[in-house]
Amino acid sequence: MNNNTLKSKLIDTAISELLCGRWDSINMRSISKKSKIKLDQVLKISNSKEELLDLWSQSINFKILDKISLEELKEATIKDRILELMLCRFDVLSGHRREMTALVALARKNAIESVRAFGRIKQSMQYILNLSGAEYQGKIGILKIKILSLIWLVTFKEWYEFKEDDNSVIMSNLDRRLTLAENANNSILNGNR
């Protein structure tokens, strides 16, 4: 079994345990047993069940590219690229509502997992900035990632509670928030107050 297959199997096992409500009682040894993969091989892929959730989140990020052509995005502004990429991430997540429900419940009951979940969001926003071609280095870059993460979180809450196929309201709200962030960013960079 190659590394990608092993990784997929371990992620699937961890997500399955989460969905069955056994998250608190599992560890890497039990994941090894359930997945029928030797513990030493499991530990080469991941050292903790939480890292497996990080890998799951990364796999969601990579699926964005199945939904959009980066070539087509080149004609759009940076803000519009980010908007499209975020909407694509919501499209990908719409096929994983059960997992999202379980992850939200886990974050709500566990402060440490809540912090980790925000870390995953920040990684996702950095990935989206990278795909969009936006600069995100240095202190301004860190600020951009944090602001986008907060925008994502607020919009995610609406999307999560909305549960409708028509995402026009979500798209409109996300577009408005990104426009506000873009205006604030231009204001900061230009020294305007």
Side-chain angles (χ1 to χ4, degrees):
M1 219 181 289
N2 68 35
N3 265 4
N4 286 336
T5 307
L6 279 174
K7 190 187 294 185
S8 260
K9 194 166 183 181
L10 292 173
I11 291 168
D12 289 347
T13 302
I15 292 294
S16 175
E17 293 300 289
L18 176 67
L19 291 174
C20 291
R22 295 189 286 260
W23 187 255
D24 292 337
S25 63
I26 65 166
N27 57 31
M28 294 312 280
R29 190 173 300 282
S30 60
I31 288 173
S32 165
K33 188 175 179 181
K34 293 233 179 228
S35 64
K36 297 180 177 149
I37 299 171
K38 292 181 182 177
L39 184 58
D40 63 330
Q41 288 182 296
V42 168
L43 294 175
K44 285 179 186 172
I45 302 293
S46 175
N47 289 316
S48 71
K49 61 186 182 181
E50 292 81 12
E51 277 183 26
L52 290 173
L53 293 183
D54 297 346
L55 292 172
W56 180 83
S57 181
Q58 285 176 8
S59 74
I60 294 295
N61 291 339
F62 298 149
K63 289 177 184 175
I64 291 172
L65 294 175
D66 296 339
K67 299 273 183 190
I68 197 164
S69 162
L70 292 181
E71 198 60 39
E72 291 172 17
L73 278 182
K74 286 183 180 176
E75 302 301 317
T77 66
I78 295 286
K79 193 264 305 178
D80 287 339
R81 290 179 206 169
I82 292 169
L83 173 66
E84 287 300 320
L85 290 162
M86 285 180 149
L87 290 171
C88 284
R89 192 165 199 277
F90 280 119
D91 283 347
V92 173
L93 287 175
S94 66
H96 298 278
R97 283 243 182 222
R98 283 186 63 222
E99 292 93 329
M100 293 313 304
T101 299
L103 286 166
V104 166
L106 181 63
R108 283 181 176 161
K109 75 174 187 175
N110 183 322
I112 293 170
E113 182 49 40
S114 183
V115 170
R116 284 191 75 100
F118 191 69
R120 287 184 205 112
I121 292 169
K122 288 192 328 191
Q123 283 183 333
S124 298
M125 295 307 104
Q126 183 174 344
Y127 182 70
I128 284 173
L129 282 171
N130 185 40
L131 290 178
S132 75
E135 287 291 323
Y136 60 92
Q137 305 303 320
K139 290 178 183 176
I140 295 290
I142 292 168
L143 183 62
K144 282 181 185 179
I145 292 168
K146 287 180 179 177
I147 289 170
L148 278 184
S149 298
L150 291 173
I151 290 170
W152 173 267
L153 200 55
V154 169
T155 310
F156 174 82
K157 184 179 184 300
E158 291 171 347
W159 172 84
Y160 181 73
E161 292 171 355
F162 192 60
K163 297 182 182 177
E164 295 289 330
D165 288 337
D166 178 17
N167 283 333
S168 58
V169 173
I170 302 300
M171 184 175 88
S172 174
N173 289 346
L174 181 56
D175 186 40
R176 185 175 43 79
R177 289 178 185 121
L178 288 173
T179 299
L180 287 171
E182 181 182 45
N183 292 340
N185 180 48
N186 289 337
S187 208
I188 290 166
L189 294 180
N190 296 325
N192 299 332
R193 291 182 187 268

